[in-house]
Structures are given as structure tokens and as C-alpha cells.
Amino acid sequence: MTTLPHNPEILTHTDAGVMTLTINRLDRKNAITSHMYAAMAEALEAANVDAEVHVLVIQGHESIFSAGNDISDFLNQPPATADAPVFRFLRAISSFAKPIVAAVCGPAVGIGTTLLLHCDLIYAGDNAAFSLPFVNLGLCPEAASSLLVPQLMGYPRAAEVLLLGEPFMAETALEMGLINRIVPPAEANALAQRQAQKLAAKPLSSLMETKRLMKKGNASMVAERMSEEGVSFGRMLQAPAAREAFSAFMEKRKPDFSAL
Ligand code: COA
């Protein structure tokens, strides 16, 4: 049985083979700090080897999935090495051996969208708004999204979502193959639970082997791309474009990249 230290911003509970992880920092739109990444990494690492956990559910609130990385954290304690909690979390989710079901409502910004690329079933509220604004923040993609987004959507659409960084809604995400189904926001978490319970009733060894085989062709490329992105991301976090973008966000103004 997994027992984790209580963290009010990352809630976990396990019931009938399903571990549910809830991102719960509503006053900051579920923006994720390095403490939260550490808690998420710890939860996933424990669940991966806990025989009582067959399926993981990741959810936010029906109004917001996640505003992505906490921007003041990016300014004050940027992830400096591959051991940083964000990278540990990304390794844990991308190598998680059991099925992951996600329920996504409201904005899913940055890592709020890229973490979904490592989930198996995704149910979205009709208010879900996905975005990958890395370029707008002076950054580059993470979570192997520079590999997985073009694979999923084809290069032209990937260029639109990764270079322009414009949000796209649930209907587009469904059409692109990012998500499985759209439901009213109040129903997304419950649907994810029902689907997770169905999975949890199946033989775990078959689920894990099927997932391993489906992911096998990409697994080493994902790991390699994630570490290459991590090096660039870490460098770009300290560069003038990102510092300007983060300061502008904190000061509630538009960034000015004209002098860079
Ligand atoms: N990091 C730190 N604080 C954040 C945050 C983030 N990623 N996202 C939101 N917040 C804070 C806001 O600064 C605001 O703080 P305040 O109450 O002190 O002013 C509070 O959370 C509420 O956010 P607000 O922007 O007023 O909510 P909204 O409903 O109008 O918009 C979002 C929600 C998610 C669309 C918007 O907050 C947003 O775009 N956030 C930044 C996303 C981003 O660029 N993330 C980085 C990805 S790498």
C-alpha cells in the first residue's frame, strides 16, 4: 500500500486498484511548483511498484486542469539539472508501466498539455483549452513534445501549436487525436474513474505488457528527446527572452522581445 506524505496541493488516494492524483492549487490555477513535481514524481514512482495500484488517474478541477509550471518558481528556482523535480516527474510519467487515465477540464497550459502525451486515455470537458506556449515564453518544448506532437498531429499542425503557441479547444484536440472523448466538465472526473475501474478489473500483466509493446517503438527516442529538450530548456530559462516573458507575466504586462 502506497503511503505518501500529505501534500494539500497534490492529493492522492487509492481505491479498488485505482490511484487518483488530483492537482489541487486552485488559487494559482493549479500552476505546478517544484515541490508539487516532487510529490507527483514520488507518487508515480511508488504507484509503479505498488501491487495494489493497477491504474493511475490524473485530474484537476472542472474549471482548470493546470496553468503549467509556476512562473515565479521558474524565476526563483529554475530546474538546473536532470535531477530537478520537474524532470524526475517527466521521467516517472513517461516510463509509467501501468495505464494512466486523465480527466482534463479548463486550461491545460504547457506541461498541463505535454503530460497528457504520456497518458493512455484522456477525457476532456468541453471547456478544455490546451496550449503549448513555450516559444511565447522564450523556451522550447519539453516532455518529448517536440517528438510526440508532430507524430500525433503531423508536422503542419504541430508547427501551428508549437511555433505559434495558440490555444486549441477540446473539439480540435479530439480531431487531432490528443484526447478520447469530450463530455460536460462536471462529468469528466467521473468518466475517468469509470474507465479506470474497468481497466483495474482486467489482468494487470496483460495491461502492462500491451502498454509496453505499444510504446516500445518510441521509448528510447522519447527518453533521448526528453533529455535533449531538458538541456536546452534549462539553458533557455536563464536567457533574456524567458526572463522578459516571466517578468512580464508577473507584472501583468505584454512581453517586449524587441531588444533581444
Ligand atoms: N504561475 C504562477 N502563477 C500563476 C500561473 C503560473 N503558471 N498561472 C496563473 N497564475 C496566477 C496568476 O498570476 C493569478 O495570480 P493573482 O491572483 O495574484 O493575480 C492567479 O494565478 C489567477 O490567474 P489568472 O490569470 O487571473 O486566471 P485566469 O482564469 O484569468 O487565466 C490561465 C487562467 C491559466 C489562462 C492564465 O492564468 C495563464 O495563462 N497562466 C499562465 C500560463 C503559463 O504561461 N504557464 C507556463 C507554461 S510553461
Side-chain angles (χ1 to χ4, degrees):
M1 175 72 191
T2 309
T3 44
L4 296 163
H6 180 68
N7 181 331
E9 294 172 341
I10 297 296
L11 304 173
T12 56
H13 78 273
T14 302
D15 183 33
V18 177
M19 174 188 264
T20 303
L21 184 155
T22 307
I23 309 171
N24 181 46
R25 191 181 178 227
L26 292 177
D27 61 331
R28 281 285 169 273
K29 301 286 169 180
N30 282 352
I32 307 175
T33 60
S34 56
H35 288 304
M36 293 164 72
Y37 286 123
M40 290 161 78
E42 205 171 309
L44 265 66
E45 287 160 4
N48 207 26
V49 293
D50 184 342
E52 287 188 26
V53 176
H54 290 206
V55 182
L56 173 70
V57 171
I58 301 183
Q59 63 185 20
H61 184 263
E62 65 183 63
S63 65
I64 176 89
F65 183 63
S66 173
N69 205 105
D70 184 287
I71 288 181
S72 57
D73 235 36
F74 261 162
L75 275 170
N76 301 325
Q77 40 182 338
T81 66
D83 295 332
V86 60
F87 298 131
R88 190 178 144 207
F89 164 69
L90 288 175
R91 284 193 297 274
I93 193 168
S94 63
S95 62
F96 197 74
K98 303 168 188 178
I100 307 178
V101 183
V104 186
C105 298
V109 185
I111 201 164
T113 289
T114 60
L115 74 79
L116 301 172
L117 298 165
H118 302 284
C119 297
D120 301 291
L121 298 173
I122 303 169
Y123 300 104
D126 56 21
N127 61 345
F130 305 86
S131 60
L132 300 164
F134 302 112
V135 165
N136 302 339
L137 293 169
L139 297 169
C140 68
E142 31 86 303
S145 56
S146 65
L147 172 73
L148 296 171
V149 171
Q151 281 181 346
L152 185 70
M153 309 174 179
Y155 190 86
R157 286 178 140 179
E160 224 166 37
V161 300
L162 281 169
L163 295 178
L164 282 174
E166 285 175 356
F168 53 99
M169 299 303 289
E171 288 289 348
T172 308
L174 184 65
E175 193 200 319
M176 287 171 169
L178 176 66
I179 62 173
N180 289 85
R181 205 186 298 175
I182 303 173
V183 293
E187 293 172 21
N189 288 2
L191 175 59
Q193 283 297 325
R194 283 202 303 281
Q195 300 298 76
Q197 281 157 14
K198 280 190 215 163
L199 288 169
K202 298 181 190 294
L204 178 59
S205 55
S206 291
L207 291 173
M208 289 174 67
E209 189 60 5
T210 303
K211 177 166 174 169
R212 187 187 73 78
L213 289 165
M214 286 200 292
K215 298 262 179 184
K216 184 178 161 66
N218 238 4
S220 63
M221 281 194 296
V222 165
E224 196 184 304
R225 184 65 61 90
M226 224 153 63
S227 66
E228 184 175 346
E229 288 172 346
V231 171
S232 300
F233 198 93
R235 172 175 46 77
M236 295 176 92
L237 273 174
Q238 310 284 356
R243 310 303 284 182
E244 165 58 11
F246 302 153
S247 304
F249 179 78
M250 302 306 289
E251 293 159 17
K252 298 189 188 295
R253 61 173 172 81
K254 278 194 184 309
D256 176 4
F257 300 119
S258 60
L260 303 177

